[in-house]
Amino acid sequence: MTYITRATAAAGVLLAAAGLLAAGPARAEARDTFPGNWLYLTVTKGDARSGDTRGTLLLCNPPQGHTRAAEACTELAGTDGDVSRIQAKGVFCPMIWAPVTARARGQWNGRPVRFQETYASQCVMNARTGSVFALDG
């Protein structure tokens, strides 16, 4: 096999591999959707580098995903899927700095949902987001 033939064959392999890599994310995105209203929820304790993250998929048609899915879906339905509009509860939370970051991404009534907020503590997060991020039950 000559140098030019080997170079051409190598170029063909590289182009084919590049085509597969380019097609990969499109397939992953197609699997990233579910029928109806859904959110992928995560809560990270500590700073963002801590790695102490819990997550779950909340499906609302019918409600499932974590132990308070029905409550979370009802709260989200009242705000058209906008986590930031959930009415805060009048709860006393100790003034202890133990940050948590809540994230949600998904779809509600055909619109994309993206939410991220860091709260002073889990108590504050629960007071402001209701059952949505109550992943521990």
Side-chain angles (χ1 to χ4, degrees):
M1 192 184 259
T2 67
Y3 176 78
I4 294 174
T5 307
R6 276 187 261 153
T8 303
V13 169
L14 288 174
L15 288 173
L20 289 174
L21 292 176
R27 284 192 303 256
E29 187 66 30
R31 284 183 264 145
D32 197 25
T33 59
F34 301 92
N37 298 328
W38 64 273
L39 296 177
Y40 182 70
L41 308 166
T42 61
V43 176
T44 303
K45 294 181 181 179
D47 64 21
R49 298 165 300 206
S50 74
D52 185 8
T53 300
R54 296 175 194 261
T56 192
L57 179 64
L58 173 66
L59 300 170
C60 288
N61 300 32
Q64 54 189 332
H66 61 76
T67 57
R68 297 176 65 189
E71 292 173 67
C73 291
T74 299
E75 290 166 346
L76 287 164
T79 63
D80 198 28
D82 187 348
V83 177
S84 66
R85 289 183 31 220
I86 293 174
Q87 186 169 352
K89 293 174 179 60
V91 175
F92 173 76
C93 291
M95 292 180 61
I96 298 173
W97 179 251
V100 293
T101 300
R103 292 179 185 86
R105 70 170 179 79
Q107 177 177 302
W108 198 270
N109 292 335
R111 292 184 318 276
V113 172
R114 297 261 188 250
F115 174 84
Q116 178 175 326
E117 186 72 37
T118 299
Y119 299 96
S121 68
Q122 189 157 351
C123 178
V124 174
M125 178 189 71
N126 291 340
R128 296 199 181 144
T129 63
S131 301
V132 175
F133 292 99
L135 305 183
D136 294 332

